[in-house]
Structure formats: structure tokens, C-alpha cells
Amino acid sequence: MNIQDPAQPIFRALADPTRRAILAMLASGDRPIGDIAAKFDMTRPAVAKHLAILKEGDLISVEAIGRERINKLNPAALKTAQDWLNHFDHFWDDRLSKLKQAVEEKK
Amino acid sequence: MNIQDPAQPIFRALADPTRRAILAMLASGDRPIGDIAAKFDMTRPAVAKHLAILKEGDLISVEAIGRERINKLNPAALKTAQDWLNHFDHFWDDRLSKLKQAVEEKK
DNA sequence: TTTATATGAAACCTTTTGGTGTTATGTCAA
DNA sequence: TTGACATAACACCAAAAGGTTTCATATAAA
């Protein structure tokens, strides 16, 4: 099927619970890495790796201000994941209509 | 944050491109493992492992018919992932309104 | 200028992941 | 009953993931 899948770095980034928690945290405000790392039970370098993976998927962007690097959520990339999932809605509708049809025929 | 995340097995399953391709394939019809494995450039045991992970995330169900085991898509689990992503829509709206506000103030 | 702060980067380790090949089991068909 | 088929189950392996500690660098503040 799709060898080169543009959604791959996004779904890869979303696969880890820490990274999803970071995204949720950034939804309530831009934050530097130190702030983020303080909320988790792991070292800062570990959080830095997670941020790097989120950045690879373009789920966040980073802006350097002085010696701080502010991490910001980029909702556009999340939309790519939503779009992929939305394709299954047609399937969902089909199932429902087939079920309805089956019920009709039983009557 | 959430240590026990119910969405975890789902996002974990979605992280692999082969598994996403399998889901897309099952959207067009229920299939036994042999059919699925034939479409990919890997051995059947490898595909079987992918199916096991999809089943752990409850993204598919399996029905044994004779010596075949038919794999079926379960769209309900996909909805869990959609719901998680949809929470960011509020953020998206906020960003837009803030942008609009900033533009207004510039006038 | 010196010191503290915020971060990046490298080297390393363990577990998980995604694949392989081989063998075993249950079912259909001749 | 015998043979072919569809699949499960195992043991194994290399690479990636997720973490650690240690060290280096740039900026702010005293």
C-alpha cells in the first residue's frame, strides 16, 4: 500500500502517552521545555527527545526567546490525523445502512 | 498525567503504516489473514502479529468460520481516537479568534 | 566578570517492536 | 483415511524506542 505515508510521522508521534500528554498541556498554553519536564516523572533529556519527535511530526513548533525555547502546539498537523480517521466514517455509515436494511428485510 | 490511558492501545496500533493499511483494506470488506498477507511484502506470521495488535486495541474483531478466521473492522474503536483529537478543535477555534482579535486591534 | 539558569548533545543501556523461519494443529476434500 | 490448506504458536534476531548520566554552550543576572 502506501510506502511513503505522509501521516506516518504524525501517528508515530501520537503513539506515546507522554507525547499526547505534552500536546494536551500545550493546548492550554505555550511552554518552554523546563516547564514541561517539571510535570513528568522523567528527566529533561527524555522530555527533549519526545519534543523532538513531536517536532518531526510538525505537531509543535519552537520559538527561541532569549535562552528559552518556547514550544507551541501546531493544530494543522493534528488535522492530518483527523482526516485519515474521517475516511472511515463512510464505512461506519455503510455498516449502519446495511444493518438497517437487514432489519427491514426481517420484517 | 493519565497513567492508565484507555486510548493507548488504539494509538499504539495506529502507529504502524502496515496496520493502518490493513485497516483501510478491511474497510472495503472482511478478510481472512491469508488474503491480507498476500497484499504485503512480508510473511504471514508478521501480518498475524499486526492483527494481534489491532485486536488488542479492539480495532478489529475476529470470527472463526470453518478453518478460516475472518477479520472485521470495528469502527467504534476508531471513534475513540477521533474523540481524543477532537478536543483540540477548541484550541483551534481559540487560536483563530485570537488571531482575529489581533487583526481587529491593528486596524 | 563571575555565577546561575535554560537548554542542547553525546554516549550508553534495557526493553519493545517488527520481522524471520520452523513446527504444530485443526478443518476441508478426495 | 490421507493429503492439502488455513492458521496458530514458538524461538530467535536486528533495529528502534525510551530512558539514563554526563558534559557543553549560550544567555541572564549579581
Side-chain angles (χ1 to χ4, degrees), chain A residues 20-32:
Chain A
R20 290 198 304 282
I22 290 173
L23 291 178
M25 192 181 300
L26 292 180
S28 64
D30 305 338
R31 286 188 181 78

Side-chain angles (χ1 to χ4, degrees), chain A residues 6 12-13 19-20 26 43 47 51-54 58-59 63 65 68-69 73-74 80 97 103:
Chain A
R12 186 247 185 160
R19 288 194 290 268
R20 290 198 304 282
L26 292 180
T43 61
V47 172
L51 289 172
I53 291 169
L54 287 169
D58 204 34
L59 287 156
E63 188 186 356
I65 296 185
E68 285 190 339
R69 291 168 62 84
L73 188 59
N74 174 22
T80 300
S97 62
V103 170

Side-chain angles (χ1 to χ4, degrees), chain B residues 41-90:
Chain B
D41 189 22
M42 68 181 69
T43 60
R44 201 193 5 248
V47 172
K49 282 192 186 179
H50 284 305
L51 289 173
I53 291 168
L54 288 169
K55 195 144 172 295
E56 271 176 40
D58 204 35
L59 287 157
I60 62 170
S61 61
V62 185
E63 188 186 354
I65 296 185
R67 62 182 160 181
E68 286 191 338
R69 291 168 64 84
I70 310 298
N71 298 275
K72 310 186 172 200
L73 188 60
N74 173 24
L78 284 170
K79 194 154 187 324
T80 300
Q82 282 181 319
D83 288 347
W84 190 88
L85 291 169
N86 286 159
H87 284 136
F88 290 92
D89 287 348
H90 303 294

Side-chain angles (χ1 to χ4, degrees), chain A:
Chain A
M1 294 264 140
N2 286 336
I3 307 290
Q4 292 285 57
D5 186 347
Q8 178 53 24
I10 295 171
F11 278 109
R12 186 247 185 160
L14 291 174
D16 186 273
T18 300
R19 288 194 290 268
R20 290 198 304 282
I22 290 173
L23 291 178
M25 192 181 300
L26 292 180
S28 64
D30 305 338
R31 286 188 181 78
I33 188 177
D35 267 34
I36 300 170
K39 304 276 184 180
F40 292 94
D41 188 23
M42 69 181 67
T43 61
R44 198 167 41 73
V47 172
K49 283 192 185 181
H50 284 304
L51 289 172
I53 291 169
L54 287 169
K55 195 145 173 295
E56 272 176 39
D58 204 34
L59 287 156
I60 62 170
S61 61
V62 184
E63 188 186 356
I65 296 185
R67 63 182 159 181
E68 285 190 339
R69 291 168 62 84
I70 310 297
N71 298 275
K72 309 186 173 197
L73 188 59
N74 174 22
L78 284 169
K79 195 155 185 321
T80 300
Q82 283 181 318
D83 289 347
W84 190 89
L85 290 169
N86 287 159
H87 284 136
F88 289 92
D89 287 347
H90 303 294
F91 172 84
W92 183 232
D93 294 342
D94 284 357
R95 274 268 160 123
L96 272 183
S97 62
K98 276 177 189 164
L99 188 65
K100 200 178 280 180
Q101 197 181 330
V103 170
E104 296 286 322
E105 282 168 6
K106 272 200 175 176
K107 277 201 252 184

